[in-house]
Amino acid sequence: RTQFVTEVELEHVEEVYIEQAWLQYKVNDFVNFRTGLVLIPMGLINEYHEPTTFNGVERPMVDKYITPSTWREIGLGFTGDILPASLRYQAYLVNGFNGYDGEANFNGSSGFRGGRQKGIESYISSANFTGKVEYYGIRGLNVGLSGYFGKSQSMLYDGVAKDDDDAMRIADSSAIGISMLGLDARYQYQGLELRGQFYYAGLSNTDQYNEFTADLDGTPNDLGSAMMGYYAEAGYNVLRLFSNTDKKLVPFIRYSNYNTHAAVEDTYTKNKAYNRNVITTGLTFQLAKGAVLKTDMQFFSDGTDADTKYQFNAGFGVMF
């Protein structure tokens, strides 16, 4: 009935991270209690972010700037099956993003990425809710609906009395409200592999947050009031056409769009450079279940008239 699960990851040769570490107790066949450092169940990549589980050397940019993978926080909640072998759920209360700790951790260019607490010295000024429901009752198909709702955290709430109106107004200016929805789907049939994701995040109080976190010269921050991102990907295991083998060679192509200025407050102007497109095409060669070789070419453009940029990537991935 009792499990402990942890993931230790070596990244970029120089960093070692605990990416999840949680204790789970099985209450019955439909309910499991879970607590610890949990992965926020938004989309596909955040929960299944190991390099052997996705195409391309780099994770999709949507999962870097809209849902900032690897996104994990301290929390507690419940998981389980609603319908056996068809429908499952996750639901947690977690600490939110660190939005302000003496300086702004959100901006228009990188979105929420700078606010991840990752468990280390995490603090909480307002509990956030996140959850996901997944349907997998059709062979080869998995569809998920996820959500994240709450407020960013701020150090300015520490020690403030609730009846201190001036201090509360200042603290409130350093936090934003976040309502995020995600839809994802995966489908595999014989050698064909399809997957896609869509995210939309609505942000409140961004006008006050931007003014409060202005630069030293008085220039306001540029956090948008909405962010949106999506991608669609298709690949095919060509080795299936020639031999019966556990190895896979998958040519793939993925189109992504992510816009961290999908909407802004009336007093701000959308930055066209924050509306970005990425086309990624390449090969994934699975040597074994836990080992892959990868290569791809990426084409980057945005809403400005700037020239398309190109990038070649190559790497290998191991998971055990």
Side-chain angles (χ1 to χ4, degrees):
R1 286 179 176 269
T2 304
Q3 291 178 292
F4 176 69
V5 174
T6 187
E7 176 188 355
V8 182
E9 191 159 307
L10 175 66
E11 294 186 342
H12 312 300
V13 182
E14 61 182 1
E15 300 171 330
V16 178
Y17 283 119
I18 305 296
E19 297 220 327
Q20 54 182 322
W22 41 264
L23 180 68
Q24 179 168 288
Y25 179 76
K26 181 179 179 180
V27 178
N28 55 42
D29 291 340
F30 304 99
V31 178
N32 302 282
F33 173 73
R34 182 179 294 182
T35 184
L37 182 64
V38 298
L39 295 169
I40 303 300
M42 291 293 299
L44 297 175
I45 297 295
N46 199 57
E47 289 190 276
Y48 306 102
H49 53 265
E50 292 78 11
T52 58
T53 62
F54 60 89
N55 291 316
V57 177
E58 300 290 343
R59 298 167 187 167
M61 291 299 180
V62 173
D63 293 290
K64 182 176 182 180
Y65 292 105
I66 308 300
T67 56
S69 178
T70 303
W71 181 12
R72 68 273 196 194
E73 303 293 355
I74 299 294
L76 57 86
F78 297 91
T79 72
D81 292 324
I82 300 173
L83 297 173
S86 293
L87 199 64
R88 59 181 169 230
Y89 71 92
Q90 299 180 65
Y92 306 106
L93 288 177
V94 296
N95 63 257
F97 290 113
N98 175 15
Y100 187 82
D101 55 4
E103 60 182 24
N105 292 314
F106 304 143
N107 59 56
S109 176
S110 59
F112 300 130
R113 191 161 187 82
R116 297 172 301 164
Q117 297 203 61
K118 308 178 186 178
I120 183 171
E121 299 181 354
S122 296
Y123 73 97
I124 181 170
S125 57
S126 177
N128 285 217
F129 172 81
T130 182
K132 184 174 186 178
V133 177
E134 293 179 85
Y135 175 75
Y136 58 105
I138 299 174
R139 182 182 293 275
L141 177 67
N142 185 296
V143 179
L145 176 65
S146 51
Y148 181 91
F149 308 95
K151 293 177 62 177
S152 64
Q153 318 296 278
S154 172
M155 286 287 190
L156 295 183
Y157 288 107
D158 186 26
V160 174
K162 295 293 185 181
D163 58 356
D164 188 340
D165 294 337
D166 290 337
M168 286 297 295
R169 275 195 296 269
I170 294 173
D172 288 343
S173 296
S174 66
I176 62 169
I178 302 171
S179 297
M180 183 187 298
L181 289 173
L183 179 65
D184 60 78
R186 291 171 286 170
Y187 181 67
Q188 184 168 339
Y189 178 73
Q190 297 182 358
L192 179 65
E193 300 178 2
L194 303 174
R195 61 169 53 192
Q197 296 189 150
F198 173 83
Y199 298 112
Y200 183 86
L203 285 61
S204 61
N205 202 47
T206 56
D207 52 347
Q208 292 189 45
Y209 181 84
N210 286 334
E211 291 293 334
F212 183 79
T213 58
D215 292 337
L216 294 177
D217 63 0
T219 303
N221 196 352
D222 64 348
L223 181 66
S225 59
M227 296 189 291
M228 184 177 69
Y230 61 89
Y231 77 78
E233 176 184 304
Y236 191 86
N237 175 22
V238 296
L239 292 186
R240 183 181 177 88
L241 300 174
F242 304 104
S243 64
N244 183 16
T245 175
D246 292 336
K247 294 180 173 61
K248 295 171 62 177
L249 180 63
V250 181
F252 74 93
I253 186 168
R254 177 173 63 236
Y255 173 78
S256 306
N257 173 268
Y258 60 104
N259 188 354
T260 50
H261 261 191
V264 296
E265 296 291 346
D266 293 338
T267 55
Y268 293 85
T269 301
K270 292 182 181 180
N271 189 329
K272 294 181 179 179
Y274 295 166
N275 184 6
R276 290 160 281 200
N277 304 292
V278 185
I279 297 174
T280 305
T281 184
L283 291 170
T284 300
F285 183 29
Q286 180 178 292
L287 301 170
K289 186 176 181 180
V292 294
L293 301 177
K294 298 181 174 186
T295 184
D296 65 63
M297 180 69 77
Q298 293 185 291
F299 305 85
F300 299 90
S301 61
D302 57 37
T304 67
D305 294 328
D307 294 336
T308 299
K309 297 180 180 180
Y310 310 89
Q311 180 170 302
F312 174 76
N313 304 302
F316 70 91
V318 177
M319 171 185 169
F320 60 91

